[in-house]
Amino acid sequence: MPADTTRTDLTERLRRIEVRLDRERRARAEAEYLLEEKSRALYEANLALGALANDLEQRVEARTEELRTARQAAVAQAETDALTGIANRAAFTRRLDETLGNTHALRAGVALLLIDLDDFKTVNDTLGHQAGDALLVEVAQRLSEALRPDDAGRTGDLVARLGGDEFAVIAKNMGPPQHLQRLAQRLLNVLCRPVVFNGVSIPCYCSIGVASAELSENDADTLLGNADLALYASKRTGRARVTCYESNLRVEVEHRARHENAVREAVLADQIKPWFQPIYRCDLGRYTGAEMLARWHLPCGEVRPPLAFLDTVEALGLLDVMMENMLRRALPEALPLVVSGAMDYLAVNVSPTQFNEGWALRTLPPMLAQAVFPAQALVIELTETALLQDTEHTRAMLHALRAQGMRIAIDDFGVGYSNFSLLRQLPCDFLKLDRTLSLDVEHDESARALTECILTLASRLKIQVVAEGVETLQQSRYLLEAGCAAQQGYLHARPQRDLAGLFAHAAAH
């Protein structure tokens, strides 16, 4: 083969090799470029994914924290008393179970103190619910401050409002029994100070019942029951007291339960019957009215006075039933005396609760209509407590009763609040002068001065005054000379069951 041909073939082959190598280089460069682009894309995607994951993680953590905070707030709200800001009954129950489940805490000494305000209802009835709420808030604050960690080293004490005017304290690390007694007495001293609301000083008294876990078999229900027994004993023996649980308290509670059952049966069986004590007019020389009173007639023949059952009747919610049963007997008995002119009126006591809840206005008019008893011959006796709560509401209720024809008497006037402005603001026909004034006019100059002041004011306002509790001739003479001719008391007549016989006997003499 000629040399030129060989050279040409070799050159062609080299050219082809270079073309192929160039093509491979370009392909490799393109592949490297694509690989670099893919790597860059993957890197950027990885960065974006990492940022997204980090953002998502932060969002999850933030949301988790929000949910945790919301749950804590919900739990706190569910276990916080809305009025006072301290723990409520739910929190108290949980903490008591937790505390008694901790054996170490039991060895350190756990105690429960139940605290109940004395006469709290009177505050609400006389000064209004805002004053009552202010009193509850102040009591909660005093308890919380008094139970902050002290030099005795107690920790973990819980103050709770169980509802109404009842509070509780779970105290830990109490040590010897005398420490518990000292704590209870200290709390009593802190709480029993007046509370000022809108410039008015509100008396604050409370009763405390104390029980220790060691004497309660370390059971929450037993501990709570024992503290409740001690609290009941404190309230039964008077206000502003501390009582520590003892086993004999259970006997007293069983006696109370039997008494409540007996009273309930007495009301439902109509064993509580009306008795009557007349009002005597010294200037006319005759009885002019009578007050209906309650007496419990037991099957054995014993007759018990109101002090033996009336508070229990009201606590059981049976006062309305008792009053209606008595009126169904009393109105027909009084009707002939009223129609004949022998008696001017029958007086009926209405409790503050009954009055404020509208019982008198709701119940008395239909009962009077059914008995054909003239409304003007019925006098409704109300204490100042019933009239002080809400002047506008009270005035409207009294005017509504008077519009029905009934008359109004303020009972036990001259003691307690003795709000003389009531006589100007509210419609009133009679004042019942409190028996303590009648009893003291013989020997107490201040009683005489107050009595004369009331009589003068009532005379100017054309309100008739009836003196209660007149027992001696000297008392009667003084009151008559002072201008009080209408009198009621043992001197003139004791309460009796037979109303017609009482007036017939008086007419015969």
Side-chain angles (χ1 to χ4, degrees):
M1 179 177 295
D4 293 338
T5 302
T6 302
R7 190 179 299 109
T8 300
D9 291 341
L10 182 59
T11 301
E12 181 63 23
R13 289 176 62 185
L14 289 174
R15 188 187 64 79
R16 289 178 180 174
I17 290 172
E18 288 178 357
V19 168
R20 187 168 64 249
L21 290 173
D22 184 59
R23 199 164 42 240
E24 288 178 357
R25 281 195 299 271
R26 288 200 303 269
R28 187 180 299 109
E30 185 177 355
E32 289 176 353
Y33 173 77
L34 291 175
L35 181 61
E36 184 179 350
E37 288 295 315
K38 291 290 185 182
S39 297
R40 185 182 297 110
L42 285 174
Y43 175 73
E44 291 174 354
N46 186 54
L47 288 177
L49 185 61
L52 181 63
N54 186 54
D55 181 63
L56 182 60
E57 182 179 0
Q58 291 178 353
R59 290 188 181 186
V60 170
E61 289 179 356
R63 182 57 178 161
T64 302
E65 184 62 27
E66 287 179 8
L67 292 174
R68 184 183 299 111
T69 302
R71 181 181 179 279
Q72 291 174 346
V75 170
Q77 183 176 8
E79 294 192 344
T80 300
D81 179 60
L83 175 64
T84 62
I86 62 175
N88 61 10
R89 180 178 285 275
F92 163 79
T93 302
R94 179 181 59 79
R95 179 73 70 85
L96 186 61
D97 288 338
E98 291 175 355
T99 301
L100 293 181
N102 186 332
T103 55
H104 174 73
L106 288 179
R107 285 196 296 270
V110 175
L112 176 61
L113 297 86
L114 292 183
I115 302 159
D116 191 88
L117 301 187
D118 299 326
D119 299 327
F120 178 71
K121 185 176 182 300
T122 301
V123 175
N124 275 338
D125 289 344
T126 57
L127 299 175
H129 289 283
Q130 286 187 337
D133 288 349
L135 181 59
L136 294 174
V137 170
E138 178 64 21
V139 167
Q141 183 175 344
R142 290 180 184 181
L143 282 173
S144 300
E145 291 177 352
L147 287 167
R148 287 173 180 165
D150 58 13
D151 53 8
R154 289 196 330 278
T155 58
D157 290 350
L158 176 77
V159 180
R161 180 185 175 211
L162 302 186
D165 62 340
E166 187 175 12
F167 294 81
V169 173
I170 301 174
K172 299 169 64 176
N173 306 319
M174 286 311 306
Q178 57 268 30
H179 290 182
L180 178 58
Q181 180 68 34
R182 282 201 295 268
L183 171 64
Q185 190 61 49
R186 182 161 63 86
L187 293 181
L188 187 69
N189 295 338
V190 167
L191 295 177
C192 291
R193 298 197 308 263
V195 174
V196 177
F197 175 74
N198 286 346
V200 177
S201 179
I202 306 173
C204 182
Y205 297 99
C206 68
S207 300
I208 300 179
V210 182
S212 63
E214 287 80 0
L215 297 179
S216 305
E217 302 174 357
N218 300 338
D219 173 78
D221 290 338
T222 304
L223 179 61
L224 187 58
N226 290 349
D228 193 53
L229 292 177
L231 175 62
Y232 171 73
S234 288
K235 297 191 78 68
R236 182 179 56 81
T237 54
R239 64 185 181 181
R241 305 250 181 169
V242 172
T243 302
C244 293
Y245 170 77
E246 297 176 355
S247 58
N248 62 348
L249 293 178
R250 194 165 298 279
V251 176
E252 297 179 10
V253 170
E254 292 172 354
H255 173 73
R256 176 181 62 172
R258 288 194 297 270
H259 175 68
E260 288 179 350
N261 288 334
V263 171
R264 182 182 293 105
E265 292 175 3
V267 173
L268 299 179
D270 200 14
Q271 295 175 1
I272 299 178
K273 305 182 187 301
W275 280 42
F276 307 91
Q277 186 174 26
I279 289 89
Y280 184 71
R281 281 290 297 268
C282 299
D283 54 341
L284 302 178
R286 69 178 185 91
Y287 296 143
T288 55
E291 178 182 356
M292 185 182 77
L293 306 170
R295 294 294 186 271
W296 181 4
H297 289 245
L298 278 73
C300 65
E302 180 186 353
V303 177
R304 292 183 181 174
L307 286 176
F309 62 88
L310 202 54
D311 287 345
T312 304
V313 170
E314 187 163 12
L316 293 172
L318 294 172
L319 190 57
D320 292 357
V321 176
M322 185 196 80
M323 287 291 294
E324 289 162 26
N325 288 343
M326 291 172 57
L327 282 167
R328 289 190 185 96
R329 291 175 177 269
L331 293 177
E333 289 184 41
L335 180 60
L337 297 171
V338 170
V339 172
S340 68
M343 185 172 79
D344 297 339
Y345 63 88
L346 175 69
V348 175
N349 291 281
V350 174
S351 76
T353 301
Q354 286 179 308
F355 177 75
N356 291 327
E357 293 179 353
W359 174 85
L361 191 58
R362 183 176 62 250
T363 306
L364 293 179
M367 292 195 75
L368 293 174
Q370 185 177 6
V372 199
F373 193 91
Q376 65 270 20
L378 187 72
V379 174
I380 299 175
E381 293 194 7
L382 300 162
T383 62
E384 290 178 89
T385 301
L387 302 176
L388 282 169
Q389 181 176 0
D390 184 341
T391 304
E392 291 300 324
H393 173 71
T394 299
R395 185 184 293 112
M397 293 279 286
L398 293 178
H399 279 297
L401 290 168
R402 289 184 106 195
Q404 295 284 339
M406 291 170 272
R407 291 183 284 176
I408 308 297
I410 300 180
D411 199 9
D412 301 331
F413 195 84
V415 295
Y417 291 96
S418 295
N419 193 334
F420 286 92
S421 66
L422 284 176
L423 304 182
R424 182 176 59 87
Q425 297 175 17
L426 302 176
C428 173
D429 302 283
F430 296 88
L431 279 184
K432 300 290 290 289
L433 195 66
D434 188 78
R435 61 181 293 107
T436 57
L437 292 177
S438 299
L439 294 174
D440 292 343
V441 291
E442 287 185 81
H443 53 78
D444 189 327
E445 182 62 35
S446 61
R448 288 195 291 271
L450 181 57
T451 300
E452 291 170 5
C453 177
I454 293 172
L455 290 171
T456 300
L457 180 61
S459 175
R460 295 286 297 273
L461 295 174
K462 295 181 172 53
I463 298 174
Q464 185 178 154
V465 178
V466 179
E468 297 181 292
V470 179
E471 296 184 356
T472 69
L473 188 59
Q474 290 79 8
Q475 293 167 0
S476 177
R477 285 174 176 169
Y478 172 81
L479 289 166
L480 178 60
E481 291 172 0
C484 185
Q487 301 176 9
Q488 183 181 15
Y490 286 179
L491 173 67
H492 302 296
R494 290 175 176 268
Q496 298 183 35
R497 174 68 188 90
D498 183 10
L499 180 62
L502 183 66
F503 274 78
H505 178 75
H509 293 76

